[in-house]
Amino acid sequence: MAVGKKIIPQAVDRNYFKRQIRAVYHPVSSRLHGFDIVVRLRCTYPKSVARQAREELAGLLTAVERCRES
């Protein structure tokens, strides 16, 4: 997980985004063992769309899980 200072300068905000990523990843982490998954935040987004971002990340992790099953 990479949330750089150039993208989000305030530590409290970087930690918020990291918590959001972990909240999505942890429930599926046991099913994704054997994969190295890198989540890199390329730009900031307002906290008001955090739910939408979590859903998008969950969809991406589900797609990875389906690839693993194939």
Side-chain angles (χ1 to χ4, degrees):
M1 177 175 8
V3 180
K5 287 182 183 178
K6 288 183 181 180
I7 303 298
I8 303 175
Q10 299 292 320
V12 66
D13 293 330
R14 283 194 309 274
N15 291 335
Y16 172 79
F17 287 105
K18 289 178 184 181
R19 281 193 306 274
Q20 297 301 309
I21 294 167
R22 284 188 204 107
V24 174
Y25 176 73
H26 280 289
V28 297
S29 63
S30 64
R31 297 188 306 257
L32 294 175
H33 59 82
F35 278 90
D36 291 330
I37 296 175
V38 177
V39 177
R40 185 177 138 228
L41 196 62
R42 297 189 322 174
C43 63
T44 187
Y45 57 87
K47 291 181 181 179
S48 61
V49 297
R51 180 177 178 210
Q52 183 180 3
R54 285 192 310 266
E55 289 172 357
E56 184 177 346
L57 180 58
L60 292 170
L61 291 174
T62 301
V64 169
E65 187 177 359
R66 280 189 296 232
C67 288
R68 184 181 187 278
E69 293 171 355
S70 299

Coordinates of all heavy atoms in Angstrom, one line a residue:
M1 N 0.9 -1.1 0.0 CA 0.0 0.0 0.0 C 0.9 1.2 0.0 O 1.8 1.3 0.8 CB -0.9 0.0 1.3 CG -1.7 1.1 1.4 SD -2.8 0.9 2.8 CE -2.3 -0.5 3.7
A2 N 0.7 2.1 -0.9 CA 1.5 3.3 -1.0 C 0.6 4.5 -1.1 O -0.1 4.7 -2.1 CB 2.4 3.2 -2.2
V3 N 0.7 5.4 -0.1 CA 0.1 6.7 -0.2 C 1.1 7.7 0.1 O 1.6 7.9 1.2 CB -1.1 6.8 0.9 CG1 -1.8 8.1 0.8 CG2 -2.1 5.6 0.7
G4 N 1.6 8.4 -0.9 CA 2.7 9.2 -0.8 C 2.4 10.6 -0.3 O 1.3 11.1 -0.4
K5 N 3.5 11.2 0.3 CA 3.3 12.6 0.8 C 3.0 13.6 -0.3 O 2.4 14.6 0.0 CB 4.6 13.0 1.5 CG 4.8 12.3 2.9 CD 6.1 12.8 3.5 CE 6.3 12.1 4.8 NZ 7.6 12.5 5.5
K6 N 3.5 13.4 -1.5 CA 3.2 14.3 -2.6 C 1.8 14.3 -2.9 O 1.2 15.3 -3.3 CB 4.1 14.0 -3.8 CG 5.5 14.3 -3.6 CD 6.3 14.0 -4.9 CE 7.8 14.2 -4.7 NZ 8.5 13.9 -6.0
I7 N 1.1 13.2 -2.8 CA -0.3 13.1 -3.1 C -1.2 13.6 -2.0 O -2.1 14.4 -2.2 CB -0.7 11.6 -3.4 CG1 0.2 11.0 -4.6 CG2 -2.2 11.5 -3.7 CD1 0.0 11.7 -5.9
I8 N -0.9 13.2 -0.8 CA -1.6 13.6 0.4 C -0.6 14.0 1.5 O 0.0 13.2 2.2 CB -2.5 12.5 0.9 CG1 -3.4 12.0 -0.2 CG2 -3.3 12.9 2.1 CD1 -4.3 10.8 0.2
P9 N -0.4 15.3 1.6 CA 0.7 15.8 2.5 C 0.4 15.6 4.0 O 1.3 15.4 4.8 CB 0.8 17.3 2.2 CG -0.2 17.6 1.1 CD -1.0 16.4 0.8
Q10 N -0.9 15.6 4.4 CA -1.2 15.5 5.8 C -1.2 14.1 6.3 O -1.9 13.2 5.7 CB -2.6 16.2 6.1 CG -2.6 17.6 5.8 CD -1.7 18.4 6.7 OE1 -1.7 18.2 7.9 NE2 -1.0 19.4 6.2
A11 N -0.5 13.8 7.3 CA -0.4 12.4 7.8 C -1.8 11.8 8.2 O -2.1 10.7 8.0 CB 0.6 12.3 9.0
V12 N -2.6 12.7 8.8 CA -3.9 12.2 9.3 C -4.7 11.8 8.1 O -5.5 10.8 8.1 CB -4.6 13.3 10.1 CG1 -5.0 14.5 9.3 CG2 -5.8 12.7 10.8
D13 N -4.6 12.5 7.0 CA -5.4 12.1 5.8 C -4.8 10.8 5.1 O -5.5 10.0 4.7 CB -5.4 13.3 4.8 CG -6.2 14.5 5.3 OD1 -7.1 14.2 6.1 OD2 -5.8 15.6 4.9
R14 N -3.5 10.7 5.1 CA -2.8 9.5 4.6 C -3.3 8.3 5.3 O -3.6 7.2 4.8 CB -1.3 9.6 4.6 CG -0.7 10.4 3.5 CD 0.8 10.2 3.4 NE 1.5 10.4 4.6 CZ 2.0 11.5 5.1 NH1 1.7 12.6 4.5 NH2 2.7 11.5 6.2
N15 N -3.3 8.4 6.7 CA -3.8 7.3 7.5 C -5.2 6.9 7.3 O -5.6 5.8 7.3 CB -3.5 7.6 9.0 CG -2.0 7.7 9.3 OD1 -1.2 7.0 8.6 ND2 -1.7 8.4 10.3
Y16 N -6.0 7.9 7.0 CA -7.5 7.7 6.7 C -7.6 6.8 5.5 O -8.3 5.8 5.5 CB -8.2 9.0 6.5 CG -9.6 8.8 6.0 CD1 -10.6 8.5 6.9 CD2 -9.9 9.0 4.7 CE1 -11.9 8.3 6.4 CE2 -11.2 8.8 4.2 CZ -12.2 8.5 5.1 OH -13.4 8.3 4.6
F17 N -6.8 7.2 4.4 CA -6.9 6.4 3.2 C -6.4 5.0 3.4 O -6.9 4.0 2.8 CB -6.2 7.1 2.1 CG -7.0 8.3 1.6 CD1 -6.5 9.6 1.9 CD2 -8.1 8.2 0.8 CE1 -7.2 10.7 1.5 CE2 -8.8 9.3 0.4 CZ -8.4 10.6 0.7
K18 N -5.3 4.9 4.2 CA -4.8 3.5 4.4 C -5.8 2.7 5.2 O -6.0 1.5 4.9 CB -3.5 3.6 5.2 CG -2.3 4.2 4.4 CD -1.1 4.3 5.3 CE 0.1 4.9 4.6 NZ 1.3 5.0 5.4
R19 N -6.5 3.3 6.2 CA -7.5 2.5 6.9 C -8.7 2.1 5.9 O -9.2 1.0 6.1 CB -8.1 3.4 8.0 CG -7.3 3.5 9.2 CD -8.0 4.1 10.4 NE -8.6 5.3 10.1 CZ -8.0 6.5 10.3 NH1 -6.8 6.6 10.6 NH2 -8.7 7.6 10.0
Q20 N -9.0 2.9 5.0 CA -10.1 2.6 4.0 C -9.6 1.4 3.2 O -10.4 0.4 3.0 CB -10.4 3.8 3.1 CG -10.9 5.0 3.8 CD -12.2 4.6 4.5 OE1 -13.1 4.1 4.0 NE2 -12.3 5.0 5.8
I21 N -8.4 1.4 2.8 CA -7.8 0.3 2.0 C -7.8 -1.0 2.8 O -8.2 -2.1 2.3 CB -6.4 0.6 1.4 CG1 -6.5 1.8 0.4 CG2 -5.8 -0.6 0.8 CD1 -5.2 2.4 0.1
R22 N -7.3 -0.9 4.0 CA -7.3 -2.1 4.9 C -8.7 -2.7 5.2 O -8.9 -3.9 5.2 CB -6.6 -1.8 6.2 CG -5.1 -1.7 6.1 CD -4.5 -1.5 7.5 NE -3.2 -0.9 7.4 CZ -2.9 0.4 7.7 NH1 -3.9 1.1 8.3 NH2 -1.7 0.9 7.6
A23 N -9.6 -1.8 5.4 CA -11.0 -2.2 5.7 C -11.6 -3.1 4.5 O -12.4 -4.0 4.8 CB -11.9 -1.0 5.9
V24 N -11.2 -2.8 3.3 CA -11.7 -3.6 2.2 C -10.9 -4.8 2.0 O -11.4 -5.9 1.7 CB -11.6 -2.7 0.9 CG1 -12.0 -3.5 -0.3 CG2 -12.5 -1.5 1.0
Y25 N -9.6 -4.7 2.2 CA -8.7 -5.9 2.0 C -8.8 -7.0 3.0 O -8.8 -8.2 2.6 CB -7.2 -5.4 1.9 CG -6.2 -6.5 1.7 CD1 -6.1 -7.2 0.5 CD2 -5.5 -6.9 2.8 CE1 -5.3 -8.2 0.3 CE2 -4.6 -8.0 2.6 CZ -4.5 -8.6 1.4 OH -3.6 -9.7 1.2
H26 N -8.9 -6.7 4.2 CA -8.8 -7.7 5.3 C -9.9 -8.8 5.2 O -9.6 -10.0 5.4 CB -8.8 -7.1 6.7 CG -7.5 -6.6 7.1 ND1 -6.4 -7.4 7.4 CD2 -7.0 -5.3 7.2 CE1 -5.4 -6.7 7.7 NE2 -5.7 -5.4 7.5
P27 N -11.1 -8.5 4.8 CA -12.1 -9.6 4.7 C -11.8 -10.6 3.6 O -12.2 -11.7 3.7 CB -13.4 -8.8 4.4 CG -13.2 -7.5 4.9 CD -11.8 -7.2 4.7
V28 N -11.1 -10.2 2.6 CA -10.8 -11.1 1.5 C -9.3 -11.6 1.5 O -9.0 -12.4 0.6 CB -11.1 -10.4 0.1 CG1 -12.6 -10.1 0.0 CG2 -10.3 -9.2 -0.1
S29 N -8.6 -11.1 2.4 CA -7.1 -11.4 2.4 C -6.9 -12.9 2.5 O -5.9 -13.4 1.9 CB -6.4 -10.7 3.6 OG -6.9 -11.1 4.8
S30 N -7.7 -13.7 3.2 CA -7.4 -15.1 3.4 C -7.7 -15.8 2.0 O -7.0 -16.9 1.8 CB -8.3 -15.7 4.5 OG -9.7 -15.6 4.1
R31 N -8.5 -15.3 1.2 CA -8.8 -15.9 -0.1 C -7.8 -15.5 -1.1 O -7.8 -16.1 -2.2 CB -10.2 -15.6 -0.5 CG -11.3 -16.1 0.4 CD -12.7 -15.9 -0.1 NE -13.0 -14.5 -0.5 CZ -13.7 -13.7 0.2 NH1 -14.3 -14.1 1.3 NH2 -14.0 -12.5 -0.2
L32 N -7.0 -14.5 -0.8 CA -6.0 -14.0 -1.8 C -4.6 -14.4 -1.5 O -3.7 -13.7 -1.9 CB -6.2 -12.5 -2.0 CG -7.5 -12.0 -2.6 CD1 -7.6 -10.5 -2.5 CD2 -7.7 -12.5 -4.0
H33 N -4.4 -15.4 -0.6 CA -3.1 -15.8 -0.2 C -2.3 -16.2 -1.5 O -2.9 -16.8 -2.4 CB -3.0 -16.8 0.9 CG -3.7 -18.1 0.5 ND1 -3.1 -19.1 -0.3 CD2 -5.0 -18.5 0.7 CE1 -4.0 -20.0 -0.5 NE2 -5.1 -19.7 0.1
G34 N -1.0 -15.9 -1.5 CA -0.2 -16.3 -2.6 C -0.1 -15.2 -3.7 O 0.6 -15.3 -4.7
F35 N -0.8 -14.1 -3.5 CA -0.8 -13.0 -4.4 C -0.1 -11.8 -3.6 O -0.3 -11.6 -2.5 CB -2.2 -12.5 -4.8 CG -2.8 -13.3 -5.9 CD1 -3.6 -14.4 -5.6 CD2 -2.6 -12.9 -7.2 CE1 -4.1 -15.1 -6.6 CE2 -3.2 -13.6 -8.2 CZ -4.0 -14.7 -7.9
D36 N 0.7 -11.1 -4.4 CA 1.2 -9.8 -3.9 C 0.3 -8.7 -4.6 O 0.3 -8.5 -5.8 CB 2.7 -9.6 -4.3 CG 3.6 -10.5 -3.6 OD1 3.3 -10.9 -2.5 OD2 4.6 -10.9 -4.2
I37 N -0.4 -8.0 -3.8 CA -1.3 -7.0 -4.3 C -0.8 -5.6 -3.8 O -0.6 -5.4 -2.6 CB -2.7 -7.2 -3.7 CG1 -3.2 -8.5 -4.3 CG2 -3.6 -6.1 -4.2 CD1 -4.6 -9.0 -3.8
V38 N -0.6 -4.7 -4.8 CA -0.1 -3.4 -4.5 C -1.3 -2.4 -4.8 O -1.9 -2.4 -5.8 CB 1.1 -3.0 -5.4 CG1 1.5 -1.6 -5.1 CG2 2.2 -4.0 -5.2
V39 N -1.6 -1.6 -3.8 CA -2.6 -0.6 -3.9 C -1.9 0.7 -3.8 O -1.3 1.0 -2.7 CB -3.7 -0.7 -2.8 CG1 -4.7 0.4 -3.0 CG2 -4.4 -2.0 -2.9
R40 N -1.9 1.5 -4.8 CA -1.2 2.8 -4.9 C -2.2 3.9 -5.2 O -2.8 3.9 -6.2 CB -0.1 2.7 -5.9 CG 0.8 4.0 -5.9 CD 1.9 3.8 -7.0 NE 2.0 5.1 -7.6 CZ 2.0 5.3 -8.9 NH1 2.0 4.3 -9.7 NH2 2.1 6.5 -9.4
L41 N -2.3 4.8 -4.3 CA -3.1 5.9 -4.5 C -2.4 6.9 -5.4 O -1.4 7.4 -5.1 CB -3.5 6.6 -3.1 CG -4.6 7.5 -3.0 CD1 -5.9 6.8 -3.4 CD2 -4.7 8.1 -1.7
R42 N -3.0 7.2 -6.5 CA -2.4 8.1 -7.5 C -2.9 9.5 -7.4 O -2.3 10.4 -7.8 CB -2.7 7.6 -8.9 CG -2.0 6.3 -9.2 CD -2.0 5.8 -10.6 NE -3.3 6.1 -11.3 CZ -3.5 5.9 -12.6 NH1 -2.5 5.4 -13.3 NH2 -4.6 6.2 -13.1
C43 N -4.1 9.7 -6.8 CA -4.6 11.0 -6.6 C -5.5 11.0 -5.4 O -6.0 9.9 -5.0 CB -5.3 11.6 -7.8 SG -6.8 10.7 -8.2
T44 N -5.7 12.1 -4.8 CA -6.6 12.2 -3.6 C -8.1 12.3 -4.1 O -8.3 12.6 -5.2 CB -6.3 13.4 -2.7 OG1 -7.0 13.3 -1.5 CG2 -6.5 14.7 -3.4
Y45 N -9.0 11.9 -3.2 CA -10.4 12.1 -3.5 C -11.0 12.6 -2.2 O -10.6 12.3 -1.1 CB -11.0 10.8 -4.0 CG -10.9 9.6 -3.1 CD1 -11.8 9.3 -2.1 CD2 -9.8 8.7 -3.3 CE1 -11.7 8.2 -1.3 CE2 -9.7 7.6 -2.5 CZ -10.6 7.4 -1.5 OH -10.5 6.3 -0.7
P46 N -12.2 13.3 -2.4 CA -12.8 13.8 -1.1 C -13.4 12.6 -0.3 O -13.8 11.6 -0.8 CB -13.9 14.7 -1.7 CG -14.0 14.4 -3.1 CD -12.8 13.7 -3.6
K47 N -13.4 12.8 1.0 CA -13.9 11.8 1.9 C -15.4 11.5 1.6 O -15.9 10.4 2.0 CB -13.7 12.2 3.3 CG -12.2 12.2 3.7 CD -12.0 12.6 5.1 CE -10.6 12.6 5.5 NZ -10.3 13.0 6.9
S48 N -16.1 12.4 0.9 CA -17.5 12.2 0.7 C -17.7 11.0 -0.3 O -18.8 10.5 -0.4 CB -18.1 13.4 0.1 OG -17.5 13.8 -1.1
V49 N -16.7 10.7 -1.1 CA -16.8 9.6 -2.1 C -16.0 8.3 -1.6 O -15.8 7.4 -2.4 CB -16.4 10.0 -3.5 CG1 -17.2 11.1 -4.0 CG2 -14.9 10.4 -3.5
A50 N -15.7 8.3 -0.3 CA -14.9 7.2 0.2 C -15.7 5.8 0.0 O -15.1 4.8 -0.3 CB -14.6 7.4 1.7
R51 N -17.0 5.9 0.2 CA -17.8 4.6 0.0 C -17.7 4.1 -1.4 O -17.5 2.9 -1.6 CB -19.2 4.9 0.4 CG -20.1 3.7 0.3 CD -21.5 3.9 0.8 NE -22.3 2.8 0.6 CZ -23.6 2.8 0.3 NH1 -24.2 3.9 0.2 NH2 -24.2 1.6 0.1
Q52 N -17.8 5.0 -2.3 CA -17.7 4.6 -3.7 C -16.3 4.1 -4.1 O -16.2 3.1 -4.8 CB -18.0 5.8 -4.6 CG -18.0 5.6 -6.1 CD -18.3 6.8 -6.9 OE1 -18.4 7.9 -6.3 NE2 -18.4 6.7 -8.2
A53 N -15.3 4.7 -3.5 CA -13.9 4.2 -3.7 C -13.7 2.8 -3.1 O -13.1 1.9 -3.7 CB -12.9 5.2 -3.2
R54 N -14.3 2.6 -1.9 CA -14.2 1.2 -1.3 C -14.9 0.2 -2.1 O -14.4 -0.9 -2.3 CB -14.8 1.3 0.1 CG -13.9 2.0 1.2 CD -14.4 1.7 2.6 NE -15.8 2.0 2.7 CZ -16.4 3.1 3.2 NH1 -15.6 4.1 3.5 NH2 -17.7 3.3 3.3
E55 N -16.0 0.5 -2.7 CA -16.8 -0.4 -3.5 C -16.0 -0.7 -4.8 O -15.9 -1.9 -5.2 CB -18.1 0.2 -3.9 CG -19.1 0.2 -2.7 CD -20.4 1.0 -3.0 OE1 -20.5 1.5 -4.2 OE2 -21.3 1.0 -2.2
E56 N -15.3 0.3 -5.3 CA -14.5 0.0 -6.5 C -13.3 -0.9 -6.2 O -13.0 -1.8 -6.9 CB -14.0 1.3 -7.1 CG -13.2 1.2 -8.4 CD -12.8 2.5 -9.0 OE1 -13.3 3.6 -8.5 OE2 -11.9 2.5 -9.9
L57 N -12.7 -0.6 -5.1 CA -11.5 -1.5 -4.7 C -12.0 -2.9 -4.4 O -11.4 -3.9 -4.8 CB -10.8 -0.9 -3.4 CG -9.7 -1.7 -2.9 CD1 -8.6 -1.9 -4.0 CD2 -9.1 -1.0 -1.7
A58 N -13.2 -3.0 -3.8 CA -13.7 -4.4 -3.5 C -14.0 -5.1 -4.8 O -13.7 -6.3 -4.9 CB -15.0 -4.3 -2.7
G59 N -14.5 -4.4 -5.8 CA -14.7 -5.0 -7.1 C -13.5 -5.5 -7.7 O -13.4 -6.6 -8.4
L60 N -12.4 -4.7 -7.6 CA -11.1 -5.1 -8.2 C -10.6 -6.3 -7.5 O -10.0 -7.2 -8.1 CB -10.1 -3.9 -8.1 CG -10.5 -2.7 -9.0 CD1 -9.6 -1.5 -8.6 CD2 -10.3 -3.1 -10.4
L61 N -10.7 -6.4 -6.2 CA -10.2 -7.5 -5.4 C -11.0 -8.8 -5.8 O -10.5 -9.9 -5.8 CB -10.2 -7.2 -3.9 CG -9.2 -6.2 -3.4 CD1 -9.4 -5.9 -1.9 CD2 -7.8 -6.7 -3.7
T62 N -12.3 -8.6 -6.0 CA -13.1 -9.7 -6.4 C -12.7 -10.2 -7.8 O -12.6 -11.4 -8.0 CB -14.6 -9.3 -6.5 OG1 -15.0 -8.8 -5.2 CG2 -15.5 -10.4 -6.9
A63 N -12.3 -9.3 -8.7 CA -11.8 -9.7 -10.0 C -10.5 -10.5 -9.9 O -10.3 -11.5 -10.6 CB -11.6 -8.5 -10.9
V64 N -9.7 -10.1 -9.0 CA -8.4 -10.8 -8.7 C -8.7 -12.2 -8.2 O -8.1 -13.2 -8.6 CB -7.5 -10.0 -7.8 CG1 -6.3 -10.9 -7.3 CG2 -7.0 -8.7 -8.4
E65 N -9.7 -12.3 -7.3 CA -10.1 -13.6 -6.7 C -10.6 -14.5 -7.8 O -10.3 -15.7 -7.9 CB -11.1 -13.4 -5.7 CG -11.4 -14.6 -4.9 CD -12.4 -14.3 -3.8 OE1 -12.8 -13.1 -3.6 OE2 -12.8 -15.2 -3.1
R66 N -11.4 -14.0 -8.7 CA -11.9 -14.8 -9.8 C -10.8 -15.3 -10.8 O -10.8 -16.4 -11.2 CB -12.9 -14.0 -10.7 CG -14.3 -14.0 -10.0 CD -15.3 -13.4 -11.0 NE -14.9 -12.0 -11.2 CZ -15.7 -11.0 -11.1 NH1 -17.0 -11.1 -10.8 NH2 -15.3 -9.7 -11.3
C67 N -9.8 -14.4 -11.0 CA -8.7 -14.8 -11.8 C -7.9 -16.0 -11.1 O -7.4 -16.9 -11.8 CB -7.7 -13.7 -12.0 SG -8.4 -12.4 -13.2
R68 N -7.8 -15.9 -9.8 CA -7.1 -17.0 -9.1 C -7.8 -18.3 -9.2 O -7.2 -19.4 -9.3 CB -7.1 -16.6 -7.6 CG -6.3 -17.6 -6.8 CD -6.4 -17.1 -5.3 NE -5.5 -17.9 -4.5 CZ -5.9 -19.1 -4.0 NH1 -7.0 -19.6 -4.3 NH2 -5.0 -19.8 -3.3
E69 N -9.2 -18.3 -9.3 CA -9.9 -19.5 -9.4 C -9.8 -20.1 -10.8 O -10.1 -21.3 -11.0 CB -11.4 -19.2 -9.1 CG -11.6 -18.9 -7.6 CD -13.0 -18.4 -7.3 OE1 -13.8 -18.3 -8.2 OE2 -13.3 -18.1 -6.1
S70 N -9.5 -19.3 -11.8 CA -9.5 -19.8 -13.2 C -8.3 -20.6 -13.5 O -7.3 -20.6 -12.9 CB -9.5 -18.6 -14.1 OG -10.6 -17.9 -14.0

